[in-house]
Amino acid sequence: QKEVEQNSGPLSVPEGAIASLNCTYSDRGSQSFFWYRQYSGKSPELIMSIYSNGDKEDGRFTAQLNKASQYVSLLIRDSQPSDSATYLCAPPSSTNAGKSTFGDGTTLTVKP
Amino acid sequence: NAGVTQTPKFQVLKTGQSMTLQCAQDMNHNSMYWYRQDPGMGLRLIYYSASEGTTDKGEVPNGYNVSRLNKREFSLRLESAAPSQTSVYFCASSARDDSGNTIYFGEGSWLTVV
């Protein structure tokens, strides 16, 4: 079982809608999470980090962490075609017993 | 800032040939990583180096070797390339492996083995 599981995609939303991306994780000790965005043919880049229970907002992006449920999510409001990418969820430790802890990613397509 | 620089960006190899992917970071990071990403797949860790002087196997190390030459540089060598090693390779670095530091990725190296 992977340490981080992401909701299977692909996810398609119309422009202007809210896109919801989710992760569940197995390590109850995880205190923070990171969301990376990867455009097709490009490398992943960090877009959000959340270090405590609750919500963190940054522009159109809101990250939510629920430690009790071991659940983290990323909401994208007013989705734009430029948000079309694969979103990767990652816990604070990038490796665990020699394995990458990145989730496999959810591919989002925002249709004009 | 250059960040993480990896070379070459594109390479075509014949089966059985060897090559080295070079990676350097200028952020004074302790930890460095090599990942491969196959089409439509997630990142799989090949090798990592938590600090200068140490290297550890990741989940898919077979057919690869690494060298942490110094704090800045972490190279990945394919000794005898196989078609199954056709992939995109990402080098990455972070301040530390276990403390929630951002991972910074290079731009990727597209490798095709024919």
Side-chain angles (χ1 to χ4, degrees):
Chain A
Q1 181 186 1
K2 286 183 72 76
E3 181 169 333
V4 172
E5 298 281 354
Q6 295 192 235
N7 55 327
S8 59
L11 177 65
S12 180
V13 300
E15 185 174 356
I18 295 175
S20 177
L21 305 162
N22 307 310
C23 274
T24 57
Y25 59 93
S26 58
D27 181 4
R28 287 190 172 275
S30 293
Q31 299 296 311
S32 56
F33 270 87
F34 301 95
W35 281 99
Y36 289 78
R37 176 178 62 201
Q38 185 177 22
Y39 290 116
S40 180
K42 301 294 185 181
S43 57
E45 58 177 346
L46 181 74
I47 56 168
M48 286 282 287
S49 55
I50 183 164
Y51 294 98
S52 59
N53 232 13
D55 296 359
K56 178 183 177 182
E57 187 173 318
D58 183 1
R60 296 185 295 110
F61 296 85
T62 299
Q64 299 174 320
L65 177 59
N66 185 325
K67 294 180 183 178
S69 301
Q70 295 177 251
Y71 176 87
V72 59
S73 66
L74 180 70
L75 299 178
I76 307 174
R77 292 182 302 280
D78 188 24
S79 295
Q80 301 297 308
S82 58
D83 296 325
S84 297
T86 296
Y87 291 80
L88 304 166
C89 173
S93 178
S94 48
T95 64
N96 181 8
K99 291 187 176 181
S100 164
T101 53
F102 280 89
D104 285 339
T106 301
T107 298
L108 170 67
T109 300
V110 180
K111 295 186 175 180
Chain B
N1 283 343
V4 180
T5 304
Q6 56 181 109
T7 56
K9 187 157 187 176
F10 299 98
Q11 184 72 49
V12 178
L13 286 178
K14 294 182 179 179
T15 298
Q17 286 185 320
S18 62
M19 76 159 297
T20 300
L21 298 175
Q22 306 286 353
C23 177
Q25 51 92 7
D26 62 2
M27 296 173 281
N28 201 35
H29 284 167
N30 288 310
S31 299
M32 297 187 73
Y33 315 84
W34 276 106
Y35 297 90
R36 62 176 287 175
Q37 188 175 40
D38 300 323
M41 303 284 286
L43 295 164
R44 289 189 292 170
L45 186 64
I46 305 171
Y47 271 93
Y48 66 106
S49 171
S51 61
E52 184 180 359
T54 68
T55 60
D56 288 286
K57 293 180 180 179
E59 52 197 315
V60 288
N62 291 343
Y64 305 95
N65 284 301
V66 290
S67 296
R68 183 77 184 264
L69 304 170
N70 47 55
K71 192 171 186 179
R72 290 186 65 247
E73 298 173 290
F74 188 39
S75 63
L76 178 72
R77 183 162 178 83
L78 286 71
E79 292 291 352
S80 179
S84 61
Q85 293 177 305
T86 294
S87 190
V88 182
Y89 292 83
F90 290 105
C91 178
S93 71
S94 68
R96 278 179 56 180
D97 181 53
D98 60 353
S99 60
N101 289 280
T102 303
I103 296 177
Y104 295 86
F105 289 85
E107 294 187 334
S109 296
W110 274 253
L111 176 64
T112 301
V113 183
V114 298

